[in-house]
Amino acid sequence: MEQQIPYKIYLKETEMPTAWYNVRADMKNKPAPLLNPGTGKPMTAAELEGVFCEELVAQELNDTDRFIPIPEEIRSFYKMYRPSPLIRAYCLEEKLGTPAKIYYKFEGNNTSGSHKLNSAIAQAYYAKKQGLKGVTTETGAGQWGTALSMACSYFDLDCRVYMVKVSYEQKPFRREVMRTYGARVTPSPSDTTEIGRKILAEFPGTTGSLGCAISEAVEDAVTHEGYRYVLGSVLNQVLLHQSVIGLETKAALDQYGITPDIIIGCAGGGSNLGGLIAPFMGEKLRGEKEYRIIAVEPASCPSFTRGKFAYDFCDTGKVCPLAKMYTLGSGFIPAPNHAGGLRYHGMSSTLSQLYEDGYLEATTAVQTDVFQAAEQFARVEGILPAPESAHAIKVAIDEAMKCKETGEAKTIVFGLTGTGYFDMVAYERFHNGEMSDYIPTNEELEKSLAKLPQIN
Amino acid sequence: MEQQIPYKIYLKETEMPTAWYNVRADMKNKPAPLLNPGTGKPMTAAELEGVFCEELVAQELNDTDRFIPIPEEIRSFYKMYRPSPLIRAYCLEEKLGTPAKIYYKFEGNNTSGSHKLNSAIAQAYYAKKQGLKGVTTETGAGQWGTALSMACSYFDLDCRVYMVKVSYEQKPFRREVMRTYGARVTPSPSDTTEIGRKILAEFPGTTGSLGCAISEAVEDAVTHEGYRYVLGSVLNQVLLHQSVIGLETKAALDQYGITPDIIIGCAGGGSNLGGLIAPFMGEKLRGEKEYRIIAVEPASCPSFTRGKFAYDFCDTGKVCPLAKMYTLGSGFIPAPNHAGGLRYHGMSSTLSQLYEDGYLEATTAVQTDVFQAAEQFARVEGILPAPESAHAIKVAIDEAMKCKETGEAKTIVFGLTGTGYFDMVAYERFHNGEMSDYIPTNEELEKSLAKLPQIN
């Protein structure tokens, strides 16, 4: 054990980032613009401002400024739960008997239980600044909804959350946490929106999907004065806010002169991965450094590894703009046996472009392997991980075991996005041997992908 | 806002305590010894070693050594989740508009969700060192059981937990967390022990109590080869281990030249309070400093404020040694409507003696006030507190509001012992207005206290 590197590296508050890093500024091939589903033309700022807050639209469209200052109010809120620790996994390394050096950036030390709060507080701040009454959103596993509830409560904004029905049912206590922060939570699809009623009519008994819930939340926002829609992943603005994860990680590593060989993150819509890798990707894009960057997605929802890079709807109801991304088709709904988040049919446009251009790899993991890794990790590192985060753990362990075979002392950094306290139903199913590893068939994916809009 | 004091003060790992502080060494009136219930004479080390691990017995009886070194293995484990942050409640102060300066020591940043892990890992370590197969224990709200499960998993020890039935039912997911760490969890009273069967026969339909669960766990330990019983609170050894909380708090305050005026902790068996105040109490006992120290107990289980200072059984089944303490009688069972922990009929002998000698104050709070304070705190400070911890929050807010009236800028430090992620059933009842404030009648208490053993 190298005594000079502590178990947990905390930056000082004075060392925390004062600006977010905008990776798009360093991309030669910029992510493709959002398209108006009616005209097929790029969405203008004015059009986007019907759905999103003004300043967030500006951030969404800004692909030239490398750094965007973090407003003082957001930095103050960040100080309530940040900097998050960069943890050296000494106990895991010892258990695995690997020469690899494993670090993880732990984003679970806040009540939302994940990194989602980093963007929630930014989006709530801009909504408040614009004088809005409230915001609407969707949530899958519930982490984003909780984060947004906390952020809205802080700025005294109304918060309406559409929660994917399967999560709503599997995570009853999530609803109470959101309620503690004053949010209204509706299981989706619901009969409170036109699109919800349409989806229910077409797919009775559906357990829902992020794509459905997004449609409902957008409809709610655009049909109510003083409301806008906010989104916890996928968008450029979210990756921008989440860059605080990577900036802190890099600053902490730099203090000890550590350069990672491999950086690993789980990928659903891409918010954590995009944030974690941002400054490292910047160096890679500018040709300054070389890193292996690995996205891990669930085998049951494999956008990168089995999807198409094409324009698609961001939501099931097709009310949102079109985004060019790796997608399984906006009608794709992951098998209900899949636990936790990472259930989104698409992927961040920014990450999709980077993947297309060869700057990052992607791999999948089946869920029983993921829970096995989660339990192994919990027993030696003490932290009970969220199922989402455990995808990254699984691959980090795999890479560390490869090092054991080859004798290489690689430095592996992964994102531990959150805790699993509200995922005990899934853990229980795992303990009881009731969890299965459904992987969509080629036929299923072809059927879903056949319905992509004909724009490309 | 004083910019020089950060939101969170983290010690460096090199600044963490290397020895526990034993407050008994500085007490003129030592806590009374445990008595053998058969002979009425002080328990010898040999007698205690039938129930407890040898080194823990030595610590239990040691009232002369001021410092006891923390073994290297325990210090390594501590580094997985410690030092815990001392947080300046800037947001709460602003919301209250108080000139008071409020700090809280947050012990919830680990999977057990509370400070209990500090003693669990120590007790598991000594059990392992003694070559035992496993340990038994009881748990109320589930924090101690989770902590012990984590600690046992780390040292590969068998762990058997008797969980108070009302908590077992209200907190189904706690069981799964313990199971993740490999523990066996039994709702108490159960039919797996003689004493459990006896209690069930006498009080059919009882929701259980810590006193019952202790009896069952002790019986399990003494009737199985290679097992010992461990306890998460009340005992001197536990307060000793928990002194790490106070030592870190004091070291953090000292770095900024801060002297608290008031120190507040919730009190069930006394483990958190005893740990938090330890070094401050030491200064007070030695006449070096003056602090107001306030214990907050639930109005539904008011050992300090309405109990008697007398020898009593530590458990309902009367299989444990007798302790001199503030007690409501070992047959006292708090109303089932009482949420969360702090359900123990007695109180640490050490704290009882200090209270008797006037070194600390005690007060009570009713549970709807406690949950109101919890929600208020969560909304501004971000952390969702455990109901136990919220007792301290309630009184800290009260004291801060007194400062607002008088204009005094007092420094208040309180212990935020843990998080409420597994208490959402209680929060739900609070949100739904289904929570009530039962306070035991004088008749109830007299009836229970009339059964105190005639030893004093």
Side-chain angles (χ1 to χ4, degrees):
Chain A
M1 199 181 289
E2 297 137 272
Q3 284 305 337
Q4 73 276 17
I5 298 174
Y7 280 66
K8 292 181 255 67
I9 307 174
Y10 279 106
L11 299 179
K12 291 186 193 139
E13 282 173 16
T14 49
E15 295 167 341
M16 286 170 67
T18 55
W20 292 302
Y21 167 64
N22 183 8
V23 74
R24 287 166 290 159
D26 282 312
M27 289 170 70
K28 210 161 66 182
N29 298 328
K30 308 289 183 190
L34 296 169
L35 298 187
N36 183 314
T39 65
K41 287 187 183 159
M43 294 283 288
T44 63
E47 286 172 327
L48 285 168
E49 284 166 9
V51 180
F52 300 112
C53 303
E54 288 158 22
E55 288 228 35
L56 293 168
V57 168
Q59 293 180 357
E60 190 64 27
L61 298 177
N62 184 338
D63 58 12
T64 51
D65 292 329
R66 193 176 276 172
F67 288 98
I68 293 176
I70 307 175
E72 182 57 39
E73 291 84 347
I74 298 174
R75 287 170 56 198
S76 290
F77 188 90
Y78 277 173
K79 286 179 190 163
M80 270 175 46
Y81 69 102
R82 308 198 67 82
S84 70
L86 180 71
I87 306 179
R88 173 72 183 267
Y90 283 120
C91 300
L92 180 63
E93 290 171 19
E94 197 185 326
K95 182 82 177 180
L96 298 176
T98 175
K101 296 162 211 264
I102 308 174
Y103 295 84
Y104 54 97
K105 180 70 168 168
F106 179 44
E107 292 286 319
N109 272 351
N110 71 76
T111 293
S112 79
S114 83
H115 67 293
K116 296 282 183 179
L117 197 51
N118 302 330
S119 184
I121 192 63
Q123 298 194 47
Y125 167 76
Y126 292 117
K128 187 71 181 178
K129 200 177 160 200
Q130 196 175 324
L132 297 180
K133 286 186 214 160
V135 292
T136 71
T137 199
E138 77 297 326
T139 197
Q143 294 172 333
W144 167 248
T146 310
L148 190 68
S149 305
M150 291 176 68
C152 285
S153 160
Y154 189 77
F155 285 124
D156 205 18
L157 278 170
D158 186 32
C159 181
R160 301 178 179 174
V161 181
Y162 291 84
M163 187 169 186
V164 176
K165 194 177 275 175
V166 62
S167 296
Y168 186 90
E169 285 163 2
Q170 283 182 357
K171 305 191 172 187
F173 296 163
R174 273 279 178 203
R175 186 194 59 225
E176 286 309 317
V177 180
M178 293 189 239
R179 219 171 148 196
T180 300
Y181 289 96
R184 190 193 77 178
V185 189
T186 309
S188 167
S190 77
D191 60 5
T192 66
T193 64
E194 202 170 312
I195 191 70
R197 290 188 290 273
K198 197 176 145 201
I199 291 167
L200 283 171
E202 196 173 348
F203 306 100
T206 174
T207 53
S209 70
L210 274 179
C212 300
I214 293 172
S215 298
E216 291 203 83
V218 171
E219 180 183 322
D220 187 344
V222 299
T223 56
H224 290 91
E225 182 71 28
Y227 282 77
R228 288 294 185 283
Y229 167 71
V230 297
L231 180 63
S233 190
V234 180
L235 295 175
N236 296 325
Q237 59 188 264
V238 177
L239 266 70
L240 175 73
H241 305 149
Q242 295 296 355
S243 70
V244 71
I245 304 172
L247 291 165
E248 281 187 10
T249 302
K250 189 158 188 322
L253 290 170
D254 285 350
Q255 286 186 355
Y256 290 87
I258 303 159
T259 304
D261 298 294
I262 308 175
I263 303 165
I264 302 167
C266 62
S271 74
N272 154 69
L273 180 70
L276 173 68
I277 66 175
F280 303 98
M281 184 58 83
E283 291 182 310
K284 197 167 174 176
L285 287 165
R286 297 190 300 270
E288 296 163 10
K289 288 252 177 80
E290 193 46 59
Y291 303 104
R292 266 190 78 198
I293 296 177
I294 307 175
V296 190
E297 50 187 19
S300 56
C301 194
S303 328
F304 269 140
T305 49
R306 296 176 68 196
K308 266 194 189 166
F309 186 49
Y311 266 106
D312 194 9
F313 290 96
C314 294
D315 63 326
T316 311
K318 305 184 180 178
V319 301
C320 288
L322 293 155
K324 189 167 182 187
M325 57 184 177
Y326 276 86
T327 179
L328 299 166
S330 65
F332 181 81
I333 294 185
N337 91 322
H338 174 67
L342 311 180
R343 298 171 60 85
Y344 188 59
H345 69 274
M347 181 59 68
S348 143
S349 284
T350 300
L351 292 182
S352 293
Q353 188 65 51
L354 290 167
Y355 181 65
E356 179 70 8
D357 292 343
Y359 288 102
L360 68 104
E361 306 168 31
T363 186
T364 64
V366 296
Q367 67 177 351
T368 55
D369 287 352
V370 164
F371 275 82
Q372 208 151 31
E375 190 162 282
Q376 183 179 9
F377 181 83
R379 290 190 179 192
V380 292
E381 288 289 320
I383 298 169
L384 186 81
E388 297 82 10
S389 324
H391 285 75
I393 296 174
K394 163 76 176 87
V395 173
I397 291 175
D398 288 349
E399 292 294 330
M401 293 312 284
K402 283 183 205 163
C403 286
K404 189 176 180 178
E405 277 172 37
T406 62
E408 289 171 289
K410 286 187 182 167
T411 296
I412 299 169
V413 173
F414 72 89
L416 190 71
T417 56
T419 51
Y421 304 136
F422 293 99
D423 297 283
M424 295 321 296
V425 168
Y427 272 93
E428 185 175 14
R429 277 165 49 200
F430 172 66
H431 293 145
N432 293 345
E434 294 159 7
M435 186 166 269
S436 66
D437 291 329
Y438 185 80
I439 298 176
T441 62
N442 287 335
E443 290 68 33
E444 278 176 274
L445 292 183
E446 279 163 23
K447 197 175 147 193
S448 171
L449 288 167
K451 293 181 190 159
L452 286 182
Q454 298 306 309
I455 289 182
N456 306 282
Chain B
M1 195 180 292
E2 297 134 276
Q3 285 304 337
Q4 74 275 19
I5 297 173
Y7 280 65
K8 293 182 253 69
I9 307 175
Y10 279 106
L11 299 179
K12 291 186 193 139
E13 282 172 16
T14 49
E15 296 167 340
M16 286 171 67
T18 55
W20 292 302
Y21 166 65
N22 182 8
V23 74
R24 287 166 289 159
D26 282 312
M27 290 170 70
K28 211 160 64 181
N29 298 328
K30 306 289 184 190
L34 295 169
L35 297 187
N36 183 318
T39 64
K41 288 188 183 159
M43 293 284 287
T44 63
E47 286 173 327
L48 285 168
E49 284 166 8
V51 180
F52 300 112
C53 303
E54 288 158 22
E55 288 227 36
L56 293 168
V57 168
Q59 293 179 357
E60 190 64 27
L61 299 176
N62 185 338
D63 57 13
T64 50
D65 292 330
R66 192 176 277 172
F67 288 99
I68 294 176
I70 308 174
E72 182 56 38
E73 292 84 346
I74 298 173
R75 289 171 55 200
S76 287
F77 189 89
Y78 278 172
K79 287 180 190 162
M80 269 174 47
Y81 69 102
R82 305 198 70 82
S84 70
L86 179 71
I87 305 180
R88 174 74 183 266
Y90 283 120
C91 301
L92 179 62
E93 290 170 19
E94 195 185 326
K95 182 83 178 179
L96 299 176
T98 176
K101 294 161 212 271
I102 309 174
Y103 294 84
Y104 53 97
K105 180 70 168 169
F106 180 44
E107 293 286 320
N109 271 351
N110 70 75
T111 293
S112 80
S114 83
H115 67 293
K116 297 281 183 178
L117 197 52
N118 302 330
S119 184
I121 192 64
Q123 298 195 48
Y125 167 75
Y126 291 118
K128 187 71 182 180
K129 200 177 160 199
Q130 197 176 321
L132 297 179
K133 285 186 213 159
V135 291
T136 71
T137 199
E138 78 297 326
T139 196
Q143 293 173 333
W144 167 247
T146 310
L148 191 68
S149 304
M150 290 175 69
C152 286
S153 160
Y154 189 76
F155 284 125
D156 205 17
L157 279 169
D158 187 30
C159 181
R160 300 178 181 176
V161 181
Y162 291 84
M163 187 169 185
V164 176
K165 195 177 275 176
V166 63
S167 296
Y168 185 89
E169 286 163 2
Q170 282 183 357
K171 306 190 172 191
F173 296 162
R174 273 278 179 205
R175 187 194 59 225
E176 286 309 318
V177 181
M178 293 188 237
R179 220 171 149 198
T180 300
Y181 288 97
R184 190 193 76 178
V185 189
T186 308
S188 168
S190 77
D191 60 5
T192 66
T193 65
E194 203 170 311
I195 191 69
R197 289 188 290 271
K198 197 177 144 202
I199 291 167
L200 281 172
E202 197 172 347
F203 306 99
T206 174
T207 54
S209 71
L210 273 178
C212 299
I214 292 173
S215 298
E216 291 203 81
V218 171
E219 180 183 322
D220 187 344
V222 299
T223 55
H224 290 92
E225 181 71 28
Y227 282 78
R228 289 294 185 282
Y229 167 70
V230 297
L231 180 62
S233 191
V234 180
L235 295 176
N236 297 326
Q237 60 189 262
V238 177
L239 266 70
L240 176 73
H241 305 148
Q242 295 296 356
S243 69
V244 70
I245 304 172
L247 291 165
E248 281 187 9
T249 302
K250 187 154 190 323
L253 290 171
D254 285 350
Q255 286 186 356
Y256 289 88
I258 303 160
T259 304
D261 298 293
I262 308 175
I263 303 165
I264 301 168
C266 62
S271 73
N272 155 68
L273 180 70
L276 173 68
I277 66 175
F280 302 99
M281 183 58 83
E283 291 182 311
K284 195 167 176 176
L285 287 165
R286 296 190 301 270
E288 297 163 8
K289 288 253 177 77
E290 193 46 58
Y291 303 104
R292 268 190 76 195
I293 296 177
I294 308 175
V296 189
E297 49 187 21
S300 55
C301 194
S303 328
F304 269 139
T305 47
R306 296 177 67 196
K308 267 194 189 165
F309 187 47
Y311 265 107
D312 194 10
F313 290 96
C314 294
D315 61 326
T316 311
K318 306 183 180 180
V319 302
C320 288
L322 294 154
K324 188 166 182 188
M325 58 183 176
Y326 276 86
T327 178
L328 299 166
S330 65
F332 180 80
I333 295 185
N337 91 323
H338 173 70
L342 311 181
R343 299 172 60 85
Y344 188 58
H345 68 273
M347 182 58 69
S348 144
S349 284
T350 300
L351 291 182
S352 293
Q353 188 63 51
L354 290 167
Y355 181 65
E356 179 70 8
D357 293 343
Y359 288 102
L360 68 106
E361 306 167 31
T363 186
T364 63
V366 296
Q367 66 176 353
T368 53
D369 286 352
V370 164
F371 275 82
Q372 209 151 30
E375 190 161 282
Q376 183 179 10
F377 180 83
R379 288 189 181 193
V380 291
E381 288 290 319
I383 298 169
L384 186 81
E388 298 82 11
S389 324
H391 286 75
I393 296 173
K394 164 75 177 84
V395 172
I397 290 176
D398 287 349
E399 291 295 332
M401 292 312 284
K402 283 184 205 162
C403 287
K404 189 176 180 176
E405 279 173 34
T406 62
E408 288 172 290
K410 286 187 182 167
T411 296
I412 300 169
V413 173
F414 72 89
L416 190 71
T417 56
T419 50
Y421 304 136
F422 293 98
D423 298 283
M424 295 322 296
V425 167
Y427 272 92
E428 184 174 14
R429 276 165 50 201
F430 172 68
H431 293 144
N432 294 343
E434 294 160 8
M435 185 166 271
S436 65
D437 291 329
Y438 185 80
I439 298 177
T441 62
N442 287 336
E443 290 67 33
E444 277 177 271
L445 291 183
E446 278 162 23
K447 196 175 148 194
S448 171
L449 287 167
K451 293 183 190 158
L452 287 182
Q454 298 307 311
I455 289 183
N456 306 282

